[in-house]
Amino acid sequence: MAIEHRRGVVVLALAASFMVFVDGTIVHLTLAQLASHLGASRAELEWASTPTRSRSRR
């Protein structure tokens, strides 16, 4: 594999990793706001983050 292709693969992997991190952060912050606005406990809103975590592990 040429060096240019290797760099492209590394850049793509880093970008994908960063997007997964940002997605998890958004879900975490959103759950906290939902819990406070709806008067629900974070445990009651746990179901909302389960599909996101499952998708990130694939």
Side-chain angles (χ1 to χ4, degrees):
M1 191 184 280
I3 297 219
E4 296 83 24
H5 288 108
R6 288 182 185 173
R7 285 184 186 155
V9 169
V10 170
V11 168
L12 183 63
L14 288 172
S17 178
F18 177 73
M19 290 178 69
V20 168
F21 171 76
V22 170
D23 181 51
T25 301
I26 290 170
V27 169
H28 178 72
L29 294 174
T30 303
L31 283 179
Q33 288 183 350
L34 278 173
S36 70
H37 288 297
L38 297 176
S41 70
R42 292 190 73 173
E44 292 172 319
L45 296 174
E46 180 67 26
W47 62 269
S49 67
T50 302
T52 302
R53 285 194 317 247
S54 298
R55 185 178 62 222
S56 298
R57 290 182 190 165
R58 287 185 198 173

